[in-house]
Amino acid sequence: MSELTLSVDKLVHGGLGLAHADAGVVFVSDVIPGEVVRAEVTGKRARCDFAKPLEFLSPSPDRRAPFCPLAGTCGGCDWQHIACARQVSLKKEIFLDCLKRQGKLTDVPDV
């Protein structure tokens, strides 16, 4: 598979990071918005690539070591690499984005 250097724009529903490459949108696992990563493309679906990080070139200050020994393996610990307070704000952003984009709401109340 190919390698890319990506800047993560935001997280989307499901906890994947959204980044852009010359070929289009790339969804990256285990990242935090603002991070720059060297990533390996692991698959493709429709017009999007999926990738996993190989190296954090510019890690977020909110990055932490997961406390679960199975994090990254079992699939149940997708947010453990993010500090708790940042998790809350990111989940709020994803929720509001879903209300606006999918729910077509223009006047979203404060959550």
Side-chain angles (χ1 to χ4, degrees):
M1 293 283 172
S2 63
E3 289 185 13
L4 301 167
T5 298
L6 302 167
S7 178
V8 181
D9 297 328
K10 66 179 184 175
L11 293 188
V12 297
H13 178 72
L16 293 173
L18 179 118
H20 294 88
D22 291 339
V25 172
V26 181
F27 292 105
V28 190
S29 62
D30 305 318
V31 293
I32 302 172
E35 290 186 319
V36 176
V37 298
R38 187 171 59 85
E40 176 183 33
V41 175
T42 58
K44 187 175 191 70
R45 191 177 324 149
R47 298 174 304 218
C48 303
D49 286 336
F50 289 82
K52 67 177 183 180
L54 297 172
E55 179 182 5
F56 294 93
L57 303 173
S58 178
S60 169
D62 295 314
R63 177 164 291 283
R64 67 174 189 189
F67 59 86
C68 176
L70 299 176
T73 305
C74 74
C77 304
D78 293 337
W79 292 78
Q80 284 194 9
H81 63 284
I82 306 171
C84 189
R86 184 74 188 273
Q87 283 186 35
V88 173
S89 68
L90 289 170
K91 289 175 183 179
K92 178 180 175 181
E93 287 175 24
I94 292 168
F95 176 67
L96 292 174
D97 183 58
C98 287
L99 288 177
K100 291 175 186 172
R101 287 187 322 100
Q102 296 171 349
K104 307 294 185 215
L105 298 179
T106 54
D107 188 25
V108 179
D110 190 28
V111 176

